[in-house]
Amino acid sequence: MPTEQLNYWFPLLTDNSPFLFAVLDQDHNYLVVNNRYCEVSGLRRDELIGRNDKEILGQAYYNSLRPYYERAFSGESVEGEVVLDDNRHDTSMHFSLSPLRNRSDDIQHIVLHSADTSERQVLVNTIEELENQLYQLNELISDGICIVESNTVINANAAAATLLGFESSKELLGEDLGRLLIDSHSQRILGEQLHQQPKSGPRKCHTSPRCCSERPLLVSTSEITLLGSRATIVMLKDASEHVVQQGQIEHLVHTDPLTGLYNRHGFSRRLEQLIANETPLVMLYLDIDNFKNINDSLGHHIGDRVLQEISQRLRRLLPENAILGHLGGDEFGVLIPDPEHDRTGDLISEQIIALVNQPFDLHHFSKHLACSIGMVTSPGNGNDARILLQNADTAMYEAKNRGRNRLVKFSEAMNKEARMRLWLEIELQKALQNNKLEVWYQPKVNARDFAINGAEALVRWKHPVEGYISPAQFIPVAERSGLIEQVGRVVMREVFTTVRRWKQQGIFPGRVAINLSPQQFGNPNLISFVEKLQKSIGVNANDITFELTESAVMSDGEHTIQMLNGIKKLGFALSIDDFGTGYSSLSYLARFPLDELKIDRAFINDIDSVPKQVTLIENIINLGKALNMSIVAEGVETHQQATLLSNLNCDYIQGFHFYRPLPKNELEAILVKNSRRKD
């Protein structure tokens, strides 16, 4: 990235952070730093450029990080923690380093992010209070607690002494705890096995003859570090009174009450256990596509029924060793330990997608659903539960971006794409706040005389640094982030205002088409917004067409009919965009109050090379006309295509052969010029 761009966005993204961010050159000098460096050093940003850690943060800090700098310049992405224990520092620093490659793939700079992770001083001030609280808690708890080092009890509470048959906790000190317990399964003294916690949970034991009385116990262990040495906390429970209650509590804490599956906490805990045991696994992260429409249109009680049905279907489908969780909302997680082969995740994902695609019986009608799945593996895609879940979530959203109802496997490149999407989202929010979006217009022409007769409104975004950003990049980000409705309202307001002025001047024939996203169309408040905007601006509804995709109008039959009728009642025309690429059913053309049909460019592209395509286009045109719809062909790029469409009785043509999308002022100049010719 050019230095001037780096100097622009680096402070913008990092100056409000409490952490240190810097870009270093090959001599480990600062190329650019964030405001935190200025606060730490007391120097201005320009005074810091060209300096290094030795001058600003001290030799010890630099010596600790220098080996990691060198690794980053060799191409590694490094993350770690260092402890600084010199006269200047008494803290620990967590850091991450990433190489920056130029267009020649050389590494000339690295990015540093570091944060003070120490709370040592706070801990020192509160340690006595915490020790007192822990002592009281230890004595009040009904379970026996022992701290064991090299099998010797070095601390115990009163409950442990009682359970093991000793009169006081002091009598337990120095005892070999492993010789006081017998494994109920093997009937042998635990001894050194005391520290080996079984995978199935607490170990069933009973007290040995060395204790004053025999008592069944449940024994759990947990490793700790005590004053730099390894020790073990041993918890003893009275198995004769054992608490069915404990199992109930565990069940409530880790289970989702709606579906009976693991909740996010319980699912994460099982994932952590598998990782700790170094068990190879595949994890699938599922999201039900467009599930919000069910809750909004049919009610949450119907949505809950769908989630329960999905849970039951997944239970029946998955292998016995699979672990299934409802992670919240419409998201599910699947863990497959010890997969049989490399294709296990792919095959199960295909089965899940087919299962979710089967119709659901909802409130007197049947509905088809789809799901997007992200897949990760361990080892390979992360070394702890949090990172694995995050990476699986990233892959799932990538599946949505690629068209939904599919599986996508995680790759490191997705993290870079996710960071780019976050940057685009932040910048798009600024553009909306500062009114920086533009509306361009692509004229469509009459197929008889090729004169302008209408246009399609298209949103454009010129970033102050990056220049024009493709709609293919920022529209998906707007849809995913929920900004698409704001974008749609900006476009609608601009088009209404412009069309009213052009019509008053008498320079614009035909209608202007505005694209409605599925999110806009799915919002019941759309009708009232359009009505209020029309009245406030004074545009004639006959001069506007709203365009929708086939997938948008087919997602929910009842809601679709209500919305389409509401738009028609206001006097606006309705068009189906990209016809022929969505649903194969044509019944909606007759059921819905549509005025216009746009033939997708995919048909036009092949018109010269695929002879049957001409027959198909002719049939689409005849079908539309039989239903009293006007026909628009888009993507026309040659005179031969335009002539053929004209001969097939197409009504309107849109494409680069006639006009590319134009800024408002350029189209206005053409319209004024054409108007003068007519005069």
Side-chain angles (χ1 to χ4, degrees):
M1 178 179 289
T3 303
E4 58 271 17
Q5 294 186 20
L6 190 63
N7 287 330
Y8 170 80
W9 63 257
F10 192 89
L12 198 64
L13 295 177
T14 63
D15 270 359
N16 292 325
S17 173
F19 308 133
L20 296 171
F21 284 85
V23 177
L24 309 181
D25 63 19
Q26 292 177 330
D27 296 322
H28 304 174
N29 295 328
Y30 305 139
L31 175 68
V32 60
V33 297
N34 73 335
N35 192 53
R36 183 62 177 152
Y37 272 87
C38 302
E39 294 173 355
V40 170
S41 65
L43 300 175
R44 299 191 311 272
R45 200 189 307 269
D46 58 342
E47 294 174 322
L48 287 168
I49 305 307
R51 297 194 180 188
N52 55 40
D53 294 340
K54 288 182 286 187
E55 299 176 64
I56 305 305
L57 298 171
Q59 187 71 43
Y61 180 92
Y62 176 71
N63 289 343
S64 298
L65 289 183
R66 180 173 57 186
Y68 299 104
Y69 290 164
E70 293 169 356
R71 286 170 59 186
F73 273 108
S74 69
E76 288 186 55
S77 292
V78 187
E79 183 175 359
E81 189 160 348
V82 295
V83 177
L84 306 176
D85 191 14
D86 62 342
N87 294 330
R88 186 171 179 177
H89 305 86
D90 184 19
T91 185
S92 60
M93 299 292 293
H94 182 273
F95 66 92
S96 61
L97 292 162
S98 301
L100 281 179
R101 299 180 183 274
N102 60 17
R103 293 182 178 177
S104 303
D105 208 34
D106 298 324
I107 302 173
Q108 295 181 339
H109 301 94
I110 59 174
V111 178
L112 166 68
H113 164 222
S114 64
D116 185 351
T117 57
S118 175
E119 297 180 355
R120 188 172 303 169
Q121 192 59 46
V122 176
L123 292 174
V124 168
N125 294 336
T126 59
I127 191 68
E128 292 183 0
E129 180 183 348
L130 286 174
E131 284 182 343
N132 183 51
Q133 292 174 355
L134 288 172
Y135 173 77
Q136 293 182 32
L137 179 63
N138 194 33
E139 290 303 310
L140 289 171
I141 197 169
S142 60
D143 295 328
I145 303 290
C146 297
I147 298 178
V148 177
E149 189 173 5
S150 300
N151 247 30
T152 301
V153 178
I154 62 174
N155 201 341
N157 66 353
T162 301
L163 290 171
L164 293 170
F166 289 78
E167 291 187 3
S168 69
S169 58
K170 290 183 179 179
E171 290 187 13
L172 259 177
L173 302 183
E175 289 285 342
D176 185 337
L177 186 60
R179 297 186 61 80
L180 299 178
L181 300 169
I182 295 175
D183 186 290
S184 298
H185 178 68
S186 65
Q187 294 300 314
R188 294 181 179 179
I189 296 256
L190 278 185
E192 294 294 334
Q193 292 184 4
L194 173 68
H195 305 283
Q196 300 173 8
Q197 179 70 15
K199 296 179 181 179
S200 58
R203 187 193 302 269
K204 294 181 180 179
C205 301
H206 57 268
T207 52
S208 75
R210 290 171 59 90
C211 301
C212 296
S213 61
E214 184 175 343
R215 186 192 302 267
L217 298 171
L218 290 174
V219 180
S220 303
T221 61
S222 179
E223 297 293 325
I224 62 169
T225 301
L226 190 64
L227 299 177
S229 301
R230 291 183 62 188
T232 304
I233 294 179
V234 180
M235 178 175 284
L236 308 171
K237 293 179 180 291
D238 188 346
S240 61
E241 299 179 354
H242 186 56
V243 235
V244 176
Q245 173 189 5
Q246 181 61 31
Q248 293 172 339
I249 293 173
E250 288 284 318
H251 181 78
L252 290 172
V253 169
H254 297 123
T255 304
D256 169 50
L258 176 66
T259 61
L261 306 178
Y262 282 112
N263 58 19
R264 181 176 285 272
H265 176 69
F267 186 83
S268 300
R269 188 164 175 258
R270 291 301 309 273
L271 177 57
E272 288 167 354
Q273 292 170 351
L274 292 171
I275 294 171
N277 294 331
E278 298 183 353
T279 304
L281 63 89
V282 169
M283 180 166 71
L284 306 176
Y285 199 110
L286 286 69
D287 181 272
I288 308 304
D289 296 329
N290 298 317
F291 182 78
K292 184 175 181 293
N293 289 341
I294 294 177
N295 282 335
D296 290 346
S297 59
L298 300 178
H300 287 272
H301 65 292
I302 299 296
D304 289 348
R305 277 176 46 193
V306 172
L307 295 175
Q308 290 169 337
E309 173 67 19
I310 290 172
S311 304
Q312 293 167 8
R313 291 185 185 186
L314 290 173
R315 276 196 181 107
R316 293 192 292 267
L317 169 72
L318 295 171
E320 288 186 5
N321 68 333
I323 297 165
L324 180 59
H326 179 212
L327 308 184
D330 58 350
E331 296 178 346
F332 293 83
V334 177
L335 293 175
I336 306 166
D338 296 311
E340 294 182 11
H341 47 74
D342 293 342
R343 290 271 300 155
T344 296
D346 302 72
L347 295 175
I348 291 179
S349 295
E350 290 174 6
Q351 293 173 333
I352 290 174
I353 290 172
L355 196 71
V356 174
N357 289 166
Q358 293 176 11
F360 290 78
D361 185 16
L362 304 178
H363 200 57
H364 309 304
F365 69 92
S366 181
K367 185 170 182 62
H368 291 265
L369 295 178
C371 70
S372 300
I373 304 177
M375 186 175 93
V376 294
T377 59
S378 177
N381 295 140
N383 55 9
D384 66 41
R386 181 185 61 81
I387 292 175
L388 275 174
L389 282 164
Q390 177 180 308
N391 291 343
D393 182 63
T394 298
M396 181 271 290
Y397 273 108
E398 182 62 27
K400 286 184 174 294
N401 291 336
R402 295 185 188 178
R404 304 175 185 266
N405 205 36
R406 67 191 64 214
L407 165 72
V408 168
K409 300 176 185 178
F410 174 79
S411 69
E412 286 298 331
M414 290 179 191
N415 276 334
K416 296 179 181 177
E417 293 171 5
R419 288 193 290 270
M420 173 56 73
R421 286 195 294 268
L422 177 60
W423 179 82
L424 280 171
E425 180 181 337
I426 293 170
E427 293 298 299
L428 183 57
Q429 285 177 331
K430 293 177 184 176
L432 285 165
Q433 291 168 1
N434 298 319
N435 200 26
K436 295 298 183 182
L437 294 183
E438 303 173 9
V439 177
W440 289 26
Y441 298 85
Q442 184 177 23
K444 60 182 179 182
V445 301
N446 192 300
R448 298 290 171 268
D449 56 9
F450 298 152
I452 292 177
N453 193 309
E456 179 179 359
L458 302 166
V459 65
R460 294 292 184 264
W461 174 23
K462 187 176 183 180
H463 188 270
V465 175
E466 301 295 330
Y468 280 106
I469 295 176
S470 168
Q473 284 184 277
F474 73 82
I475 291 297
V477 170
E479 290 175 339
R480 177 175 168 181
S481 63
L483 294 174
I484 192 65
E485 289 199 55
Q486 287 180 253
V487 173
R489 291 185 176 192
V490 167
V491 172
M492 213 177 294
R493 186 175 287 107
E494 164 64 22
V495 171
F496 280 18
T497 303
T498 300
V499 169
R500 181 179 63 85
R501 183 165 54 82
W502 284 349
K503 290 293 183 176
Q504 287 176 343
Q505 294 173 354
I507 61 173
F508 184 74
R511 294 188 177 101
V512 170
I514 300 173
N515 291 284
L516 288 179
S517 69
Q519 288 91 331
Q520 282 179 283
F521 188 68
N523 187 343
N525 296 322
L526 173 67
I527 303 298
S528 61
F529 173 79
V530 171
E531 184 176 16
K532 290 176 183 176
L533 188 66
Q534 177 198 5
K535 290 179 179 178
S536 65
I537 293 177
V539 70
N540 189 334
N542 290 327
D543 297 329
I544 303 294
T545 297
F546 284 112
E547 287 189 8
L548 301 113
T549 60
E550 288 183 274
S551 58
V553 299
M554 290 297 289
S555 61
D556 189 331
E558 291 301 320
H559 174 76
T560 297
I561 291 174
Q562 291 176 7
M563 293 296 288
L564 293 177
N565 287 335
I567 293 172
K568 287 289 292 181
K569 189 175 180 181
L570 294 176
F572 296 95
L574 289 166
S575 173
I576 287 294
D577 196 11
D578 302 332
F579 179 79
T581 61
Y583 289 79
S584 57
S585 172
L586 299 178
S587 62
Y588 74 90
L589 290 179
R591 289 194 300 119
F592 296 161
L594 303 172
D595 303 287
E596 182 180 86
L597 185 153
K598 295 188 76 173
I599 303 174
D600 186 75
R601 65 182 65 246
F603 293 98
I604 309 302
N605 290 340
D606 298 332
I607 203 170
D608 299 324
S609 57
V610 182
K612 290 184 179 180
Q613 203 79 300
V614 176
T615 303
L616 186 57
I617 292 171
E618 184 177 15
N619 286 329
I620 292 174
I621 292 172
N622 292 335
L623 173 65
K625 287 185 176 293
L627 296 172
N628 295 320
M629 300 171 68
S630 58
I631 311 299
V632 181
E634 54 184 347
V636 175
E637 297 186 354
T638 67
H639 180 73
Q640 182 179 355
Q641 292 171 349
T643 302
L644 178 57
L645 288 163
S646 179
N647 291 335
L648 292 174
N649 291 322
C650 184
D651 296 308
Y652 304 102
I653 298 173
Q654 183 179 336
F656 285 5
H657 174 64
F658 294 101
Y659 296 98
R660 292 176 177 271
L662 300 169
K664 177 175 64 177
N665 59 337
E666 292 186 21
L667 176 56
E668 189 168 318
I670 294 172
L671 295 174
V672 169
K673 186 177 180 181
N674 290 348
S675 179
R676 288 172 181 168
R677 284 178 182 170
K678 292 178 183 178
D679 294 342

